[in-house]
Amino acid sequence: MQRRTLLQLAAGSAAATVFPGLVQAASPLKELRLDYAYYSPTSLVLRRFGWLEEDFKADGTSIKWVLSAGSNRALEYLNANSIDIGSSAGLAALLAKANGTPIKTPYIFSRPEWTALVVRKDSGIRSLADLKGKKIAATKGTDPYLFLLRSLKVAGLKRSDIEHISLQHADGRIALEQGKVDAWAGLDPHMAASELESGSRLIYRNVAFNTYGFLNAREDFLAAHPAETARVIRAYERARLWIIANPADAARILSEEAKVSLPVALLQIKLRSDFSNPLPSSEHVKALQLAAPILQDEALVKAGTDLNRVILDLVDTRFSQPLITRT
């Protein structure tokens, strides 16, 4: 039996379990729309080598790549049906799902430590307590913003105790280095670049507050095109295994795409990214359950929202089981 037929059978069976009654023959897919992001090196590798274009060429399906500057953008594109599959942080995906974005997460593209709280090298800020009354840049709807809120709680501070400046990640770095804000909830590779090139300091790190890299699919796309979704995940798997085997080359791709130095890219890929566990599981469910209270504490979701139910509906632990290569 051909590999593609096996994938279709596996994906169809998985989708029938996840979407009972919804799996049916879909019209041929003319265009497959995905995002790529500098916080997702796997997507950069996949786009660079054209493996999806190669796989879908015989079907007459074109591949459209859309740059996501942050989780907020990826989730906006998914909600607007501008892309079919997009990458975001786990807690950001939960926030979007709870507020109506119709997505599921069948794959984990990495376990990163991609955010921390950053200050200039000459800053007098040394601890979380020192942030009271300060201007802090962060991109709303992303892991760094939610990291900031959770970090403030560690120090007994509230959002009202600081002045939040809403900027996209790259602009947050510029604002910090120009002294327009006192601190910044950073995101790699911008954060690593600020550290290595400008001497910026990380005053608070907590890898447990960095939620995983979620590859999200629109529910209607996953239901109508399970075989195509499976092929995307297989391609992500190919890219993931390639990065594990070739981290220096992966860093070069990140360096070229994000226009950062090679040392910055190596810091992100070798020291702050874990590509070992791509299958959504109870580990990811638990991480979101621990993080979810911040969404209710800060009134980021409607009162009475059953976040545990939303988490279980978001994290699809079954679809990718037959597609994952164990490492």
Side-chain angles (χ1 to χ4, degrees):
M1 189 177 294
Q2 292 185 346
R3 172 179 171 273
R4 183 168 296 179
T5 303
L6 286 169
L7 283 179
Q8 290 171 337
L9 290 173
S13 174
T17 302
V18 178
F19 300 100
L22 289 182
V23 178
Q24 53 188 341
S27 58
L29 189 61
K30 294 182 179 180
E31 184 178 65
L32 174 59
R33 305 165 301 169
L34 309 98
D35 80 336
Y36 67 103
Y38 305 143
Y39 54 83
S40 172
T42 322
S43 70
L44 301 181
V45 168
L46 188 53
R47 179 171 173 264
R48 170 66 63 92
F49 290 130
W51 290 331
L52 280 173
E53 288 82 352
E54 176 186 315
D55 184 30
F56 280 90
K57 183 176 181 180
D59 300 333
T61 301
S62 63
I63 306 299
K64 180 180 179 181
W65 293 98
V66 177
L67 176 64
S68 290
S71 293
N72 59 327
R73 292 288 182 256
L75 293 161
E76 287 168 8
Y77 298 151
L78 285 163
N79 194 44
N81 196 17
S82 298
I83 58 175
D84 305 305
I85 297 174
S87 48
S88 77
L91 190 54
L94 173 60
L95 174 60
K97 175 85 168 177
N99 287 324
T101 301
I103 54 174
K104 281 188 175 289
T105 303
Y107 188 80
I108 305 298
F109 63 81
S110 71
R111 198 309 169 67
E113 185 190 4
W114 51 21
T115 188
L117 296 184
V118 191
V119 298
R120 292 183 302 280
K121 62 181 178 181
D122 59 351
S123 173
I125 297 173
R126 300 290 173 180
S127 68
L128 290 174
D130 295 334
L131 294 174
K132 187 171 183 178
K134 299 298 192 292
K135 291 182 179 180
I136 306 176
T139 309
K140 291 194 74 172
T142 67
D143 227 28
Y145 177 68
L146 298 167
F147 181 95
L148 168 63
L149 298 182
R150 297 176 76 185
S151 301
L152 292 174
K153 288 181 71 70
V154 170
L157 299 176
K158 303 185 293 295
R159 182 171 50 170
S160 59
D161 289 323
I162 59 102
E163 182 181 351
H164 169 237
I165 308 298
S166 186
L167 295 170
Q168 278 297 143
H169 302 299
D171 296 327
R173 175 194 173 184
I174 294 171
L176 177 74
E177 293 176 359
Q178 292 181 347
K180 295 179 180 178
V181 296
D182 302 298
W184 166 50
L187 182 74
D188 277 340
H190 310 293
M191 182 171 71
S194 191
E195 281 183 90
L196 296 184
E197 295 168 6
S198 300
S200 298
R201 295 185 288 108
L202 308 187
I203 62 156
Y204 183 70
R205 299 173 68 174
N206 187 335
V207 68
F209 282 6
N210 288 251
T211 53
Y212 297 75
F214 277 32
L215 188 68
N216 310 299
R218 287 184 53 84
E219 291 182 351
D220 55 356
F221 182 84
L222 183 56
H225 299 283
E228 288 83 355
T229 305
R231 288 160 68 183
V232 171
I233 290 172
R234 279 291 194 196
Y236 261 86
E237 272 293 272
R238 184 178 179 184
R240 178 180 74 90
L241 294 174
W242 186 89
I243 290 175
I244 291 172
N246 304 278
D249 290 331
R252 289 189 185 92
I253 292 174
L254 172 60
S255 172
E256 292 168 6
E257 292 290 331
K259 295 180 173 57
V260 297
S261 70
L262 185 57
V264 166
L266 286 167
L267 174 59
Q268 178 179 343
I269 286 181
K270 284 194 168 185
L271 298 181
R272 292 183 182 164
S273 299
D274 179 355
F275 300 98
S276 65
N277 186 15
L279 181 64
S281 67
S282 58
E283 173 185 339
H284 308 100
V285 170
K286 183 178 180 180
L288 290 184
Q289 288 171 335
L290 291 172
I294 195 67
L295 303 183
Q296 292 174 321
D297 293 346
E298 298 292 335
L300 298 175
V301 296
K302 292 181 180 178
T305 299
D306 185 346
L307 286 175
N308 191 60
R309 181 192 61 78
V310 178
I311 291 168
L312 295 176
D313 189 42
L314 171 67
V315 182
D316 184 344
T317 60
R318 294 168 290 177
F319 185 89
S320 293
Q321 284 182 352
L323 309 174
I324 298 299
T325 303
R326 302 293 180 178
T327 55

